[in-house]
Amino acid sequence: MRIPWRSRRSLFAAIVGSPTAALSSEEYSTNYSSSSQNSFLLGPTAKGKDTKVVVIAGSVNGAKEAEDTYHRLSTTYPDLRRSSSDYYKQYLNETVNVVLPDLQLQQAYDWARVSVIQGMVNNPYLGTGLIAGYRTSGESARPGFAWFFGRDAEWTSFALDAEGDFADTHTALDFLSHYQRADGRIPHEIAQSATLVPWFTDYPYPYASVDATPLYIVATDDYVRKSGDLGFAREKWDSLWKAYQFVKST
């Protein structure tokens, strides 16, 4: 059972459902009552252990792609889980590991490495960068800190460098450089919907914090020194110089 959603812009579509679900209620509107709630039941659970799967699929290219993604997720999720597990195991093996006598401390360090790279997000309109984290939106419209924050990404890059994950630091710093302001200022925050509104011109948030700019220089220095990637410094030299000039101007 699936509950589809489409925006007024037909390219945006999403489907939420489950292979075992049955429709419980559906939104409707009549001349005497209405409801905006959609819900489904996941089916009966026999005594003992059971697993229910909820699939959330979305697309920025139309309903057909959302349908295809939903079908792929709902039919191959065991393979996807194994693939995900293998990916993180390989990541832990390829980055700096430690062997600690305290098992809980050991697990905390490993989970910290996994949590950081789960912040690498590919936005089909903006590119791939490092977000500040995940949390529920609560009473706010913003989903936690799942936006691209300049200084958060830069501080996190020090941890990535320390564990030897230079590829993700490269990606995160490169992302920020693409949204550097003409005067050299590095962005403070970029919403996931920044390309759908005049984010960089009509809103006060994208460059609200000044310290992302000096941190950009420091983070790039840390990355280049530890990775030996002099090519990146040469590639970003004009960007770094503009950032430096902005820092001097204040």
Side-chain angles (χ1 to χ4, degrees):
M1 202 287 303
R2 299 166 294 178
I3 297 177
W5 173 87
R6 297 182 186 181
S7 73
R8 292 179 180 177
R9 297 180 64 176
S10 60
L11 290 178
F12 301 148
I15 299 174
V16 180
S18 172
T20 63
L23 186 65
S24 175
S25 64
E26 190 171 12
E27 61 180 325
Y28 68 92
S29 178
T30 68
N31 61 350
Y32 55 86
S33 69
S34 65
S35 172
S36 60
Q37 178 175 297
N38 289 292
S39 64
F40 54 77
L41 302 175
L42 292 176
T45 297
K47 185 178 181 180
K49 186 177 180 180
D50 194 10
T51 299
K52 304 294 186 184
V53 177
V54 175
V55 177
I56 303 174
S59 172
V60 297
N61 297 310
K64 176 63 166 58
E65 184 176 86
E67 286 267 3
D68 292 343
T69 300
Y70 177 89
H71 177 74
R72 178 173 61 87
L73 293 175
S74 62
T75 56
T76 66
Y77 69 88
D79 295 332
L80 294 172
R81 288 186 61 187
R82 282 192 294 271
S83 176
S84 177
S85 176
D86 291 343
Y87 171 82
Y88 289 118
K89 286 177 182 176
Q90 182 178 354
Y91 182 85
L92 293 178
N93 289 332
E94 293 179 348
T95 52
V96 175
N97 205 347
V98 294
V99 179
L100 302 170
D102 187 316
L103 180 60
Q104 288 185 315
L105 192 58
Q106 175 83 59
Q107 290 177 335
Y109 172 68
D110 292 341
W111 275 113
R113 285 185 286 163
V114 169
S115 295
V116 167
I117 59 167
Q118 286 180 334
M120 296 299 299
V121 169
N122 176 263
N123 182 302
Y125 298 121
L126 293 166
T128 302
L130 190 62
I131 65 166
Y134 297 100
R135 191 177 183 277
T136 54
S137 57
E139 297 180 358
S140 168
R142 185 172 72 184
F145 286 88
W147 289 2
F148 302 103
F149 283 79
R151 57 186 176 184
D152 295 72
E154 290 154 355
W155 281 117
T156 303
S157 74
F158 301 141
L160 292 171
D161 293 341
E163 64 170 306
D165 181 2
F166 301 121
D168 283 323
T169 293
H170 183 287
T171 299
L173 295 176
D174 182 61
F175 176 86
L176 294 177
S177 73
H178 284 296
Y179 297 98
Q180 185 177 25
R181 206 164 65 178
D183 63 355
R185 196 162 182 166
I186 294 297
H188 163 63
E189 62 181 2
I190 303 173
Q192 296 292 343
S193 57
T195 58
L196 307 180
V197 295
W199 179 256
F200 295 101
T201 57
D202 293 7
Y203 290 84
Y205 314 114
Y207 301 98
S209 172
V210 72
D211 52 345
T213 305
L215 269 174
Y216 171 66
I217 301 172
V218 177
T220 302
D221 175 73
D222 187 73
Y223 165 72
V224 171
R225 287 180 183 273
K226 291 180 178 175
S227 69
D229 186 3
L230 293 174
F232 183 79
R234 295 188 183 99
E235 176 190 344
K236 298 299 179 184
W237 187 253
D238 288 344
S239 171
L240 293 164
W241 182 250
K242 286 199 304 182
Y244 176 64
Q245 290 301 312
F246 174 80
V247 172
K248 285 185 64 179
S249 73
T250 64

